[in-house]
Amino acid sequence: MRLPASATSCSVPHHRTHHRRGKRRGRAVPRNLYRPHHPFTADGAAVDLKALERLVEFQIAEGIQGLIPLGSTGEFLSVSREERTAITETVVRVARECAGRTGAGRVPVLMGTGAEDTREVVALSKEAEALGADGVMIIPPYYSVPTEDELFHHYKTVADAIGIPIMVYNNPATANVDLLPATLARLSTIPNCRYVKESTLEVTRVRDIVALCGDRMEVFAGVLGYESAWLGAVGWVAVCSNVAPRLSTEMFAAAAFEADREKSLALYRRLAPLLPWVGGPRYVSGTKAAFRLMGMDMGAPRPPRLPLLERDVPALARVLQEMGVTIAARAAAE
């Protein structure tokens, strides 16, 4: 499976092939991937699946080439096992339906299946495959601080249990484990550990991973999309693409594939003011506040996360307006 360049991670608002174990397997993954938020109902008691459907349709209509639900932006630690299943079923189904209606081609779905217990990761990954996901994204166990040997065993155990590719997720700020380039080079020898989402703020990591892994593992930026594009990243798993999917996709493509510095830098400068609002401690609250301003209410974050402070909302609205994002009339009146 070869991923497209632009992917988004879903906010809690395919074509399956069979492969022999030990072979590289799966279909092409697009280059721009989106990590959707998962919309919740107003009281936070349930996932709003209808809002999730609308969100996936919006992202695909705006040019996103792949979806990664149940990541950090999707508050994966704050949903139940039953909600995970419903989210997976909904996103896979809607992505297929959109492809059928538009004729634009299938939009791959990679499900976040990270957990502390390797057995649970295996179970979640097997379920994702059974429900039609094209791959899985797996953050390391985030409490036990595993050694390199333990990490290799963890990922190999999952890889041996499924027939779809794995995107390894390096985010030491949240996982308490830093997958250094040398460690990723070792993980890349596992046949279907095909991709890495590199989410440190050290852009030279991209250079080093590319040098050590070669074509065994492709690099997707997790934070520094613009910078990583020039050092060999083939895609961007972008939080900002929740709110500005087309702009995010066009910026990364202009840098990574067109090598057009003037065009990509101009697009990046349009996008950059949004980044502090959907990064750091505000990556969930800021994104959900932006959706509310856009007239696409995704509900509030689940505790312990809190909504964006109301005093900060007007500043976010100004950033969106300066980017050309339309503010909903009701939101503007509040």
Side-chain angles (χ1 to χ4, degrees):
M1 179 173 80
R2 186 170 185 79
L3 281 172
S6 167
T8 187
S9 58
C10 288
S11 193
V12 179
H14 65 238
H15 176 85
R16 283 227 17 232
T17 54
H18 296 279
H19 312 270
R20 296 191 319 191
R21 301 296 178 199
K23 301 279 187 183
R24 293 194 183 273
R25 48 220 186 232
R27 67 186 299 281
V29 173
R31 299 294 179 190
N32 223 2
L33 305 175
Y34 154 71
R35 302 181 307 166
H37 267 271
H38 303 136
F40 296 122
T41 54
D43 61 1
V47 177
D48 188 337
L49 295 176
K50 289 297 182 184
L52 180 58
E53 290 180 8
R54 293 191 294 270
L55 176 59
V56 171
E57 290 171 348
F58 165 72
Q59 291 292 326
I60 293 174
E62 288 293 304
I64 283 297
Q65 299 165 323
L67 301 163
I68 308 182
L70 293 171
S72 306
T73 312
E75 300 175 77
F76 78 98
L77 289 171
S78 301
V79 297
S80 68
R81 182 66 182 268
E82 293 75 20
E83 288 173 330
R84 276 179 169 270
T85 301
I87 289 166
T88 303
E89 291 173 334
T90 299
V91 175
V92 169
R93 173 179 55 79
V94 175
R96 284 177 171 168
E97 290 172 353
C98 286
R101 285 198 305 269
T102 65
R106 180 158 165 69
V107 175
V109 177
L110 280 73
M111 300 305 303
T113 57
E116 182 65 21
D117 186 330
T118 302
R119 296 168 301 176
E120 183 178 0
V121 179
V122 168
L124 293 171
S125 300
K126 290 175 73 171
E127 179 185 71
E129 181 177 22
L131 293 174
D134 298 285
V136 292
M137 182 178 73
I138 303 175
I139 196 165
Y142 30 79
Y143 184 81
S144 57
V145 194
T147 65
E148 183 175 308
D149 286 345
E150 290 168 338
L151 286 165
F152 186 86
H153 180 269
H154 178 74
Y155 281 101
K156 188 174 188 307
T157 299
V158 180
D160 287 346
I162 59 175
I164 52 177
I166 293 171
M167 176 179 283
V168 178
Y169 181 12
N170 186 36
N171 188 347
T174 58
N176 299 312
V177 176
D178 191 357
L179 299 173
L180 297 171
T183 302
L184 289 167
R186 185 179 176 191
L187 294 179
S188 74
T189 65
I190 300 170
N192 59 338
C193 280
R194 298 283 305 281
Y195 315 103
V196 60
K197 177 188 170 189
E198 167 53 43
S199 290
T200 67
L201 293 175
E202 299 177 30
V203 72
T204 55
R205 293 283 187 98
V206 175
R207 176 201 66 197
D208 295 341
I209 296 166
V210 170
L212 290 172
C213 296
D215 63 0
R216 297 191 309 273
M217 179 178 281
E218 294 185 320
V219 182
F220 284 70
V223 180
L224 303 175
Y226 174 78
E227 298 85 350
S228 298
W230 296 102
L231 287 175
V234 299
W236 187 18
V237 184
V239 179
C240 60
S241 63
N242 276 278
V243 177
R246 191 168 298 278
L247 178 58
S248 302
T249 300
E250 290 176 353
M251 185 280 291
F252 188 85
F257 309 123
E258 300 167 27
D260 188 330
R261 182 179 181 277
E262 184 176 356
K263 177 182 176 182
S264 62
L265 186 57
L267 293 170
Y268 175 70
R269 285 174 173 161
R270 280 182 57 198
L271 187 62
L274 175 65
L275 301 183
W277 292 98
V278 295
R282 300 190 289 200
Y283 72 99
V284 174
S285 63
T287 304
K288 288 198 166 183
F291 275 128
R292 179 161 60 90
L293 288 165
M294 296 162 62
M296 299 171 61
D297 196 353
M298 299 291 158
R302 278 182 171 168
R305 299 176 187 87
L306 297 174
L308 187 69
L309 294 172
E310 283 301 319
R311 67 170 181 260
D312 292 334
V313 172
L316 173 58
R318 287 193 294 273
V319 167
L320 294 173
Q321 288 174 318
E322 288 168 3
M323 290 172 56
V325 175
T326 302
I327 303 300
R330 187 176 69 177
E334 290 178 353

